[in-house]
Amino acid sequence: MSQCSSIVPIGDIKEFRVPTKTLTMPSLSIQFQVPRDWKVEYVDNAIETEDPDLFPSMRLAPAPGSCSSRHISALKQELSGMIQRWDPVQSRTINGLRGFSWEGSGYREGLEYTLFLLLLENRGGCLVTVVFIPDDIDIESRIQVEPIIQSIRPM
């Protein structure tokens, strides 16, 4: 279980309420669960998954080296065109995996949204997770995403 607060601002939602399937990232020896009806696509070394209605959506990818300020800076730079405001970075531990998490808010083409970023270290590499949540379905999306985040664990 996580040793810090969840991304969900309400309650303590850590379990799935629907059937799930397990996905793995062998390069980092990490596994996690997603709802069985979510779309899953393997792109290069990354896993992209999303609700059947398109949002929320997630991308999980390995990055070389230990999770560090270098990864945080690179992600902020890469996403700077999408994000107008970043929240502070916090230490995060999920199922024994240590790393960092933070959020950013953006607006593009009439859509307000939040990006949630999570870095977790395992086997000398860094799992980079990016979650896209439109603000008009924020709470519902966070309720869907938090059990996925809580299910990330070493294989």
Side-chain angles (χ1 to χ4, degrees):
M1 292 287 147
S2 173
Q3 294 179 5
C4 98
S5 65
S6 70
I7 69 167
V8 180
I10 56 170
D12 205 15
I13 300 161
K14 296 183 179 181
E15 296 183 12
F16 289 95
R17 297 181 179 150
V18 296
T20 63
K21 57 187 168 190
T22 300
L23 304 177
T24 62
M25 189 165 290
S27 63
L28 292 176
S29 192
I30 287 177
Q31 67 182 7
F32 58 96
Q33 295 178 312
V34 298
R36 192 177 294 153
D37 65 343
W38 275 38
K39 299 173 192 172
V40 176
E41 186 175 349
Y42 293 85
V43 180
D44 299 320
N45 291 329
I47 298 172
E48 295 179 357
T49 185
E50 63 189 29
D51 180 88
D53 294 328
L54 191 62
F55 298 114
S57 61
M58 302 177 70
R59 178 179 171 86
L60 299 95
S66 299
C67 298
S68 68
S69 59
R70 178 178 54 88
H71 290 98
I72 294 167
S73 296
L75 283 164
K76 285 183 174 183
Q77 178 65 33
E78 182 178 338
L79 298 169
S80 65
M82 294 180 63
I83 300 298
Q84 284 77 48
R85 183 189 58 78
W86 289 109
D87 288 347
V89 176
Q90 299 179 345
S91 295
R92 183 90 187 248
T93 301
I94 297 174
N95 298 314
L97 301 172
R98 296 183 186 275
F100 306 96
S101 66
W102 72 100
E103 294 185 9
S105 300
Y107 178 85
R108 183 182 283 178
E109 298 176 12
L111 178 65
E112 294 180 21
Y113 52 83
T114 298
L115 286 183
F116 171 76
L117 292 99
L118 173 68
L119 305 180
L120 292 173
E121 190 169 327
N122 199 38
R123 293 185 55 181
C126 186
L127 174 67
V128 177
T129 303
V130 179
V131 181
F132 182 86
I133 299 175
D135 287 354
D136 64 337
I137 57 169
D138 182 77
I139 299 299
E140 175 187 328
S141 294
R142 290 173 185 264
I143 289 169
Q144 288 181 281
V145 167
E146 188 61 24
I148 298 169
I149 298 296
Q150 293 298 325
S151 76
I152 299 171
R153 66 185 69 252
M155 290 194 297

